[in-house]
Amino acid sequence: MAMGMFDKFLGFIGFDETEEQQEEKEAVDKRENLQQVKKKNAPVVSIHSGRQLRVVVCEPASFDEAHQIAENLKNRRAVVVNLEKAGPEQARRIVDFISGATFALNGDMQKVGQNIFLFVPSNVDIANELRKDTKEKSIFAWAKS
């Protein structure tokens, strides 16, 4: 009631709001109410994408197959490379090429066995307790110096 009297007083001395200003205020209030309703009714989205992680296993016999392995890394797939079929020189070239591709994609690599390597893109993390021990040893069995 006090507010109504104050509005009447402002109207009496000529400082009352015009109809346009009142309509503008009402429109703003309606927009704000609609935004609040939209926020309340927003769909809930799961953080987990449900997308499966694909791991590709390759046994390249020649350097020509290294390109396809790098393509798998570019497509954000983890790749296990078994180099038992490749000769020592071919194996070195393949690992060098894939290591470069992995580095360029901010990925990571890990030796998991004799002539077997795991290359992963940046969206995959390798957790291994033995990793500290393998860094001390040479990764490449054929590169003894």
Side-chain angles (χ1 to χ4, degrees):
M1 186 161 228
M3 193 58 145
M5 231 160 88
F6 185 69
D7 289 337
K8 287 181 183 178
F9 177 72
L10 287 176
F12 178 72
I13 58 174
F15 289 112
D16 66 336
E17 294 181 344
T18 62
E19 286 183 32
E20 283 181 18
Q21 289 174 337
Q22 287 179 346
E23 288 174 8
E24 215 174 284
K25 275 187 178 180
E26 289 173 5
V28 169
D29 288 341
K30 285 181 184 178
R31 271 190 253 131
E32 287 176 357
N33 288 338
L34 283 175
Q35 287 175 352
Q36 288 176 354
V37 169
K38 285 181 183 178
K39 286 180 184 177
K40 288 180 184 177
N41 295 335
V44 177
V45 180
S46 175
I47 294 175
H48 303 290
S49 64
R51 186 174 153 204
Q52 290 183 336
L53 176 66
R54 183 168 293 211
V55 178
V56 179
V57 179
C58 299
E59 290 185 86
S62 68
F63 181 74
D64 297 334
E65 297 173 49
H67 185 300
Q68 184 58 40
I69 296 169
E71 285 294 323
N72 282 314
L73 286 168
K74 281 175 51 179
N75 291 326
R76 306 192 60 78
R77 293 186 191 114
V79 182
V80 176
V81 180
N82 184 350
L83 296 168
E84 292 177 352
K85 290 183 179 180
E89 186 61 33
Q90 291 294 321
R92 182 179 314 186
R93 289 182 66 206
I94 291 169
V95 169
D96 286 347
F97 181 81
I98 300 170
S99 295
T102 303
F103 177 78
L105 297 170
N106 294 322
D108 199 7
M109 76 173 271
Q110 175 70 48
K111 183 177 181 181
V112 293
Q114 185 69 25
N115 294 328
I116 300 173
F117 296 88
L118 172 63
F119 295 92
V120 295
S122 61
N123 65 326
V124 179
D125 187 32
I126 300 173
N128 186 355
E129 297 290 324
L130 302 175
R131 189 169 189 168
K132 296 172 190 169
D133 298 335
T134 58
K135 282 189 176 181
E136 294 172 7
K137 299 176 185 176
S138 176
I139 292 177
F140 308 107
W142 58 83
K144 294 180 182 175
S145 47

